[in-house]
Amino acid sequence: MKDLVDKLKASGVIVMGGRADVHHNIDARKYLAEEEMAVFPDEYFSLVKYSNGLRSDKGELYAILPLDDNRNFKDAVRMNEELDREDYDTVSVLGETSYDYLVYDNSVSQYQLRDKIKDDVVFSFSSIIQAVEYMFL
Amino acid sequence: MVDNVYKKENSGEEAPKRKRQRIRVSVSNATPVGIAHRAMAGGGGGTPPSGGSGVGTGGFSETDVIDIKLLDSFLRVHAYDDDSFKMCGELINKNRDYSPYLRHKLKMDTRNFDSRKGPNALREACEAMRQKIVRVILEDFRHNPTEEKRIAYNEILKAHGRKIERIPDVKTEHNVQMVIRAAFEGEFTTPTEVSTQSGQGYSHGYVKFADPHGNNTSGLIAGGKLPENYDWESNPAIQAMSLSENMSKLIPDLKAAIKNQHIPQEVVDGMTISDVAHILYKEKNGGQAPADNQKIQFNRLNEECDEGARIKFWKEFGKDNEKMSSLRKVLESRGVCKEYINDLFEQIKERGTTTLNVNKYPEPHPKLSVHHKMYVQDAALLKENAMKIDDLENFAAVVDFPNEQNHEGFEHAVDTIRDDTAFRLVNLHDTEKETVYLQVGTESYTTPRRNDYTDRKTYRDFAVDREGGR
């Protein structure tokens, strides 16, 4: 994960969030579970420990409870509530590009880019590293 | 013990948001397709109070809709009254007569309309309430899209320069989806292995021919030869590439590469855009294959190609004094600091990008983006008389401010599909003569269209044609 973060930093065109508070990560997990929503994948929580949110002209990775310097990122938990997907118990929305949402589909253990309007899967990835590289690099 | 921060945020008079929304979905029987997303950001979704007319009856009732229309025109007529005393009285009476569901959705506070609060208080309160009306009717329509409501709501939306259109829903071919994204960024991305396995990457035939993921696949297809009269124009990948002016420039290179690499007809027939990327890269790089998930910029393959619609759009925007002046006024009107504006303008002109590290600047922090104006997913059906999908007139710059109605929540609020019908919000400012180049909330900024517009169609023409001009 650190290699990915270093690559993102080196690109010079990506706004990176500060580190997520570990207690907020725990709260997010608990909250999602209690609300019977799909809990975000471990890889996502690992990434936000380094950079709580990412943004460039190409897209955005949502953050966990963005506060202070991270306040301009969208909150991943709140976005999942607002987007109000029917499959909220298996699919988490973690970010977006101009045309697609980045989702993690627990039923197939894949990260996917899905068309914002049609929900068609456009790209699939086996790890968050691949997905982030696609979206930002 | 410390409370969960997410629950703490929601503590107050209302139950946690997710649980409320789940109830709402079940009572309104919303959105039959697999997605219920693009909900109105900050749109106030929630379970109506029990006994309200919205419960179990498909959102607003006929009476609610009439009440909403009357309220909207009442607010429009009285926004410039000198004294709000009489008006507040009437609003209190109206609000009392509304159904509990409508009252819950509007959450009207008549105290805001008191003209004693300041010289513009009444006008601002009326405007804010009319914006609220737009939000609630769009939200209602997305969950309950009936023809009666479409007609009624369009009367209200007309004053805001919008209209809900209904068009037949069409399946978008995967190659077209790939071309739309590639043309926007000016680059291909080679697929991951899991994408190919899921049917979104290399074609089965190309995997058997070229083994692009390097799996030492056994039983590879041998090289072949295309017939001399091969019908390139009917090839799905070539057709999809033809939708983009930028990618069209790669088609001659692709034809030559296919011949040079002896790719057999059976593979070419089923060629995907991912195959195209792999073929072109190999041709340009002496047979070396690209890695998975690798970016391949068009202008590295052919120097006549440009850097993609997104960057090109902003660079062209940056050259136009009128557009930049409008953007500056918009930013200044919201109190964006001078340093931010200056740095942003420099970046637009030099790099064609808009993302700045906002923590360096005082608030507010606007968010700029480029959007296809509409119906890009139907581009394939426009065929030869269409404007290309990367024609800059099909894009508009969007500026979103925190605490204001954002683009997503407004322009896409009614995006929904019922059976074979799709509903979309159309911008009435986009006409045969004028094109929208900048959108801020519900405001649209237009400029005259280019002279060659009359020969071509945009997605809006297509939508209106298909709807029979309604």
Side-chain angles (χ1 to χ4, degrees), chain B residues 158-283:
Chain B
K158 196 175 175 187
H160 300 272
R162 299 295 189 280
K163 181 184 175 190
I164 302 168
E165 300 263 24
R166 47 179 296 170
I167 58 168
D169 180 46
V170 289
K171 170 92 182 123
T172 311
E173 213 242 321
H174 191 257
N175 280 324
V176 174
Q177 289 178 320
M178 299 287 277
V179 164
I180 289 166
R181 287 153 180 79
F184 191 62
E185 295 297 343
E187 62 192 16
F188 296 105
T189 308
T190 55
T192 61
E193 197 159 0
V194 71
S195 248
T196 296
Q197 286 162 358
S198 306
Q200 305 129 17
Y202 298 120
S203 67
H204 184 68
Y206 192 68
V207 169
K208 297 282 271 180
F209 174 74
D211 189 20
H213 291 298
N215 290 335
N216 300 317
T217 312
S218 59
L220 290 174
I221 300 170
K225 195 178 170 192
L226 283 167
E228 286 201 8
N229 57 352
Y230 182 78
D231 183 8
W232 291 102
E233 304 313 312
S234 66
N235 183 284
I238 301 266
Q239 279 185 348
M241 290 173 77
S242 304
L243 297 168
S244 154
E245 189 174 356
N246 204 18
M247 289 177 83
S248 297
K249 293 171 188 162
L250 296 169
I251 293 174
D253 301 344
L254 176 66
K255 290 178 184 174
I258 286 170
K259 286 177 187 162
N260 201 28
Q261 293 174 32
H262 303 288
I263 301 174
Q265 185 183 340
E266 64 195 274
V267 175
V268 177
D269 286 344
M271 182 171 64
T272 64
I273 295 300
S274 296
D275 299 347
V276 169
H278 198 268
I279 293 164
L280 287 171
Y281 184 91
K282 273 176 72 176
E283 194 67 13

Side-chain angles (χ1 to χ4, degrees), chain B residues 101-159:
Chain B
Y101 182 61
L102 180 56
R103 271 207 305 273
H104 171 79
K105 283 294 181 187
L106 292 176
K107 291 191 179 76
M108 185 159 54
D109 185 347
T110 47
R111 288 171 298 188
N112 293 337
F113 296 84
D114 191 336
S115 54
R116 289 173 298 180
K117 282 187 159 185
N120 296 322
L122 177 61
R123 186 176 53 77
E124 285 170 6
C126 287
E127 182 52 35
M129 198 65 222
R130 291 185 69 213
Q131 293 286 338
K132 180 77 169 283
I133 288 172
V134 169
R135 287 203 297 275
V136 299
I137 63 173
L138 293 179
E139 185 196 20
D140 179 62
F141 188 83
R142 187 169 71 91
H143 292 293
N144 311 284
T146 66
E147 188 58 12
E148 292 74 24
K149 283 186 176 176
R150 193 176 78 89
I151 292 165
Y153 292 163
N154 276 346
E155 287 177 34
I156 296 173
L157 291 168
K158 196 175 175 187

Side-chain angles (χ1 to χ4, degrees), chain B residues 20-50:
Chain B
R20 285 188 284 118
Q21 286 191 331
R22 203 175 301 152
I23 297 163
R24 168 167 64 73
V25 170
S26 64
V27 294
S28 62
N29 192 25
T31 318
V33 290
I35 47 170
H37 59 214
R38 286 185 178 276
M40 305 258 300
T47 311
S50 59

Side-chain angles (χ1 to χ4, degrees), chain B residues 334-347:
Chain B
R334 304 305 202 281
V336 176
C337 77
K338 272 190 181 155
E339 292 74 21
Y340 184 101
I341 296 174
N342 291 341
D343 290 354
L344 175 70
F345 277 34
E346 189 183 323
Q347 193 158 305

